[in-house]
Amino acid sequence: MFFALTSDQQEFGAAVRDYLAERFDLAAVRTVVENPSDDGNPASLWRAAGEQGWTAVTVDEEHDGLGLGLVEAQVIARALGAGVAPGPWRGTVLAADAIRLAGSDEQKAAWLPKLAAGEAVGAFTTRGSAATGLPVVEYGALADVVVAPAEDGLPGLALITGATASPVGSYDGTTRLASLDGGTAEALPGTTVELQKQLTDRATVLVAADLVGIAREALTRTVAYDRERTQFGVPVGSFQALKHALADLHVGVTMAEHAALYAAHAVDTGLDGAELAVAVAKAKSSDVALQATAAMIQFHGGIGYTWEHEAHFFYKRAKRLAGQYGDVAVSRERIASLTIGA
Amino acid sequence: MDLTFTPAEEEFRAELRSWLGAHIPQEWTHPGFWESLEDSESFRLRRDWERDKADAGFAGIQWPVEYGGRGGTPGMKAIYDEETVRAQAPRTVNPLGLTFLAPTVMAIGTDAQKKEIIGPLLRNEVVWCQGFSEPGAGSDLAALSTKGVRDGDDFVVNGQKVWTTNAVHGDKIFTMVRTEAGSEKHRGISMLLIDMDQPGVTARPLRQMSGASEFGEVFFDDARVPAADCLGEIGDGWRTAMLLLSFERGASGISQYTEFRRQYDEIAAVARRLGRADDPVIRDDLARVLTELECLRLHSMHVLTQVEQGRDLGFEASMTKLQWSEAFQDLWEVYDRILGEDATLDALPDGTDLRPLHAQAMWSRSVTIWGGSSQVQRNVTAERVLGLPR
């Protein structure tokens, strides 16, 4: 039995976290948040994503990737979530996954090496279709290639290039969204219903892992603050009302970490119950990230509600991601249908 | 990531499974069977069964061979926990002796104590109680007031313990006694091993809200215990107790998950039978509980991994206790909501007997109190794991 990250996997996450701490801290995130009209993809950060293999993680070695699994990808996602890092990393990885798993040899050769190197930006969505338009796509305006359903309500995925992008506003300033129309759509020939589900599962796990990173970091920052901040002559962290809430959050975040890790492994290896594992990971991580980021604001007191404090970066990103690929209620309904029937 | 057990461990599983299949009568697995028995009859059956199990080589799975154990791996212990629950084997009569006392004796007991205690424990010939809680000292264990006064080679013990599991059936009790007059808090306490079958020791059953009497109270009136029956150093009982309690961690989460998951499935079946499985609120409730139960399963795999790697989990054990006890309690809250206004009836209008389920529902109220209440676990987690100030 070995249910844990290997030291290599831990180092992968640590490298991302170290990079963000040293080269792209919350002050840098703030410049992205406060300049909503720029593309939201700082060049230095994106270059690092390519150079350090963050975008190459699941691409096979034959196409210049690292050939690793969703477990490693979720390690990166968790670290990026902890840093509330902007950029089209997730969409790029997911587009590459779709092409790797369902693309023709020509499509693979054309896109995978570029996506792996961060020379091309990818995007992935399950909302809308190539036929009718895509209402909300993360980094849709920057994407060189978008993977989306080919037609509304029908199985099948398309590769879309050259679409027209219009910005979509969001109070989560750590990302950029766009709606997309037109462009050229070509089918991903290897798409099956099963594969399409699996790609949605992969996307869901990466979002869950981002949420887990957000939740852990929100909790860690709150604990650090409450150890120091004094009221009534003592650190506020000595008050039982805070202690108990923070202890419950610690348990919750730890469980969400387990859940995201297990879901990634289950999808990677096609375990029985992978579908349930993904739904559990999404339900738990959404729930706990919303709680932890709300607590971050509450337990920083008035300063936590200000624009100057970074708590809102975490809270707003958690809000957006908690709703993606099924919010808490939708994820739980999926769990119910899997365990007690329709 | 490797979620499999070794071939030797899987071989052990097959062997155990086949033995359990042959030695657990069908009727034992019927809902309500154990509740239908007289307390003493149930105790006798469980005790006999455990002796047979020990004779078949399925006791002390992880105990060293030199003590008569099997010398198995943490994985085998996890498999044992899982399979016994899956087979609906009766619960052990000696949980405190097996989980806490035996490993402590192996670690710090004298040679005489090792010889006298461990073998009989393995065969469940001696049933042990834990004498920690007192009427004035529950979660605040250091406030205990039971006194032991040295008289020649003996201690003479006076005081009272309460909420003692198996008090009435127990043969011996490992107990915390203040052996230095006037000492305070953690100091001057000894852990004495006291024979309960002697003048000066009286045990009385305590009826619980479930109606059962698993607990009891124990009174010491000039009970005598040889000073040689102190576990660890005299006056250093606090350290002995902390060592003893540290053995609570381990892989038992896997067996708890197996048990709770079966209960979840039973409850979901009740929901379907009552036509409540379509209610979106009930579905959300059940899914929330299932999420926490799945997290418990994964957490126990994490704990097992840590144990196999030889890592000390320390105060993280509080997290495990919080997770399982809160999830279990929530499960039975949901059960009540499914039954709605019929939740308190002995049987449903269609005749379904609800009493065995009620026993579990009532029991769920206790799990967030004993073994360190949820409030204590939250303090431990906040202070020892998160480093928040006291």
Side-chain angles (χ1 to χ4, degrees):
Chain A
M1 176 72 64
F2 186 81
F3 179 70
L5 293 172
T6 63
S7 52
D8 282 355
Q9 289 164 343
Q10 285 176 26
E11 277 166 29
F12 217 147
V16 182
R17 282 196 308 278
D18 288 350
Y19 179 89
L20 294 173
E22 289 160 21
R23 316 280 289 276
F24 205 86
D25 62 6
L26 292 183
V29 173
R30 180 172 291 278
T31 62
V32 173
V33 171
E34 294 189 344
N35 294 289
S37 58
D38 76 19
D39 71 3
N41 186 31
S44 63
L45 182 59
W46 188 243
R47 209 164 38 242
E51 284 168 4
Q52 302 201 12
W54 309 347
T55 42
V57 59
T58 57
V59 175
D60 36 307
E61 292 175 33
E62 178 191 346
H63 294 103
D64 304 339
L66 299 178
L68 297 169
L70 190 57
V71 168
E72 285 82 3
Q74 74 91 36
V75 169
I76 298 172
R78 200 192 282 191
L80 292 171
V84 285
W89 173 80
R90 186 170 50 244
T92 300
V93 167
L94 290 168
D97 278 342
I99 294 166
R100 172 173 67 86
L101 294 167
S104 65
D105 289 345
E106 293 74 25
Q107 287 167 332
K108 290 180 192 176
W111 289 110
L112 290 179
K114 283 198 230 168
L115 290 167
E119 286 161 15
V121 168
F124 178 87
T125 184
T126 55
R127 291 173 71 179
S129 71
T132 57
L134 311 171
V136 185
V137 182
E138 279 181 6
Y139 289 94
L142 267 185
D144 299 295
V145 59
V146 181
V147 173
E151 291 179 73
D152 286 329
L154 292 176
L157 289 174
L159 271 189
I160 303 165
T161 49
T164 308
S166 319
V168 171
S170 164
Y171 66 59
D172 171 18
T174 69
T175 191
R176 295 293 180 267
L177 308 174
S179 67
L180 297 180
D181 272 302
T184 311
E186 52 181 273
L188 279 170
T191 310
T192 60
V193 173
E194 219 23 67
L195 184 72
Q196 208 167 337
K197 266 193 203 161
Q198 196 203 116
L199 284 167
T200 306
D201 280 349
R202 296 180 77 87
T204 310
V205 169
L206 293 185
V207 168
D210 195 303
L211 285 161
V212 166
I214 292 171
R216 176 58 79 193
E217 187 67 16
L219 175 61
T220 302
R221 285 175 179 269
T222 307
V223 166
Y225 181 78
D226 289 349
R227 272 202 292 247
E228 305 301 328
R229 167 73 172 166
T230 60
Q231 290 275 269
F232 310 105
V234 293
V236 296
S238 66
F239 298 133
Q240 211 166 47
L242 266 75
K243 280 185 182 173
H244 285 195
L246 293 170
D248 281 339
L249 279 174
H250 173 67
V251 177
V253 173
T254 305
M255 296 303 147
E257 286 167 350
H258 294 329
L261 174 58
Y262 180 73
H265 173 72
V267 171
D268 261 346
T269 55
L271 281 189
D272 282 349
E275 197 180 354
L276 178 64
V278 172
V280 164
K282 188 59 179 37
K284 187 65 187 171
S285 62
S286 300
D287 199 16
V288 89
L290 292 173
Q291 287 175 27
T293 55
M296 186 181 189
I297 295 170
Q298 177 71 18
F299 296 160
H300 277 78
I303 188 77
Y305 180 66
T306 63
W307 184 264
E308 282 67 34
H309 197 270
E310 58 273 12
H312 66 105
F313 302 167
F314 291 85
Y315 178 76
K316 291 168 179 172
R317 183 171 170 119
K319 276 278 176 191
R320 185 172 61 84
L321 296 184
Q324 249 184 321
Y325 304 110
D327 63 9
V328 177
V330 168
S331 305
R332 284 191 189 150
E333 172 48 37
R334 199 166 160 211
I335 292 165
S337 69
L338 289 167
T339 61
I340 57 181
Chain B
M1 190 80 78
D2 177 7
L3 307 185
T4 59
F5 291 101
T6 65
E9 287 167 343
E10 286 300 345
E11 209 170 289
F12 168 76
R13 184 197 296 277
E15 195 190 326
L16 173 63
R17 202 178 265 193
S18 116
W19 188 86
L20 289 170
H23 288 83
I24 294 175
Q26 192 68 47
E27 58 171 1
W28 289 12
T29 64
H30 293 163
F33 170 80
W34 293 100
E35 286 81 2
S36 73
L37 298 179
E38 282 291 311
D39 213 24
S40 53
E41 173 66 2
S42 138
F43 194 82
R44 190 186 62 77
L45 278 183
R46 288 158 67 192
R47 196 168 183 160
D48 290 352
W49 183 80
E50 285 206 69
R51 191 197 47 239
D52 294 347
K53 180 169 61 87
D55 289 344
F58 294 113
I61 304 304
Q62 240 191 301
W63 294 11
V65 177
E66 57 174 305
Y67 293 119
R70 202 176 168 109
T73 61
M76 285 179 189
K77 177 61 168 57
I79 287 170
Y80 169 86
D81 288 342
E82 186 182 9
E83 291 297 327
T84 46
V85 168
R86 177 169 296 170
Q88 296 184 257
R91 282 182 302 119
T92 175
V93 291
N94 226 344
L96 297 154
L98 293 167
T99 308
F100 294 106
L101 184 64
T104 309
V105 171
M106 287 180 210
I108 61 165
T110 62
D111 287 344
Q113 286 168 342
K114 288 177 185 169
K115 190 154 176 280
E116 204 175 305
I117 294 171
I118 296 175
L121 246 179
L122 193 73
R123 293 183 298 279
N124 281 298
E125 289 160 2
V126 174
V127 171
W128 284 88
C129 299
Q130 173 178 281
F132 280 18
S133 294
E134 295 189 2
S139 293
D140 185 9
L141 178 56
L144 64 87
S145 61
T146 294
K147 287 183 178 55
V149 176
R150 190 69 181 253
D151 177 26
D153 288 340
D154 293 348
F155 281 106
V156 177
V157 177
N158 282 283
Q160 183 195 347
K161 298 291 173 177
V162 74
W163 307 306
T164 308
T165 302
N166 280 336
V168 177
H169 301 289
D171 302 304
K172 292 196 163 201
I173 184 165
F174 54 96
T175 188
M176 297 284 273
V177 177
R178 196 168 287 287
T179 50
E180 278 173 29
S183 66
E184 283 185 354
K185 296 191 175 168
H186 307 165
R187 282 176 292 279
I189 295 170
S190 300
M191 188 177 294
L192 301 182
L193 310 174
I194 303 179
D195 196 341
M196 296 178 81
D197 183 21
Q198 65 162 306
V201 182
T202 320
R204 272 209 314 241
L206 267 180
R207 198 157 188 227
Q208 298 146 213
M209 63 180 280
S210 62
S213 297
E214 205 176 24
F215 299 159
E217 46 192 354
V218 180
F219 299 88
F220 301 105
D221 297 296
D222 290 336
R224 296 193 79 86
V225 49
D229 290 347
C230 179
L231 183 57
E233 297 296 314
I234 290 172
D236 201 19
W238 190 260
R239 195 197 307 222
T240 306
M242 291 303 113
L243 173 68
L244 186 135
L245 292 174
S246 73
F247 292 112
E248 186 169 23
R249 59 179 170 263
S252 68
I254 289 186
S255 65
Q256 283 163 330
Y257 167 80
T258 311
E259 175 69 27
F260 300 167
R261 179 61 202 259
R262 184 170 67 222
Q263 294 179 9
Y264 173 90
D265 290 338
E266 266 176 49
I267 288 171
V270 170
R272 273 194 296 268
R273 203 162 62 233
L274 297 179
R276 300 278 278 144
D278 298 336
D279 181 328
V281 176
I282 295 295
R283 292 173 75 77
D284 192 71
D285 274 344
L286 282 168
R288 182 188 67 246
V289 171
L290 202 270
T291 300
E292 297 306 323
L293 295 183
E294 286 301 311
C295 287
L296 172 64
R297 180 171 75 93
L298 304 179
H299 185 64
S300 35
M301 295 202 285
H302 162 79
V303 168
L304 179 56
T305 301
Q306 303 289 309
V307 169
E308 286 186 342
Q309 311 266 308
R311 296 213 186 94
D312 186 5
L313 290 164
F315 295 109
E316 281 187 54
S318 283
M319 172 158 53
T320 308
K321 170 82 199 307
L322 270 174
Q323 179 66 19
W324 78 253
S325 61
E326 298 284 330
F328 177 65
Q329 199 166 75
D330 194 17
L331 173 64
W332 288 95
E333 291 282 350
V334 171
Y335 164 75
D336 277 352
R337 283 200 283 281
I338 290 168
L339 290 180
E341 66 173 328
D342 290 344
T344 67
L345 303 181
D346 288 345
L348 290 177
D350 72 0
T352 309
D353 186 3
L354 295 180
R355 286 169 303 176
L357 295 169
H358 290 338
Q360 285 299 325
M362 292 299 139
W363 166 247
S364 76
R365 299 317 319 174
S366 78
V367 300
T368 49
I369 302 171
W370 56 257
S373 69
S374 286
Q375 286 64 38
V376 167
Q377 309 294 359
R378 289 188 180 104
N379 280 346
V380 171
T381 302
E383 289 165 11
R384 309 293 185 125
V385 181
L386 296 179
L388 288 163
R390 291 175 68 87

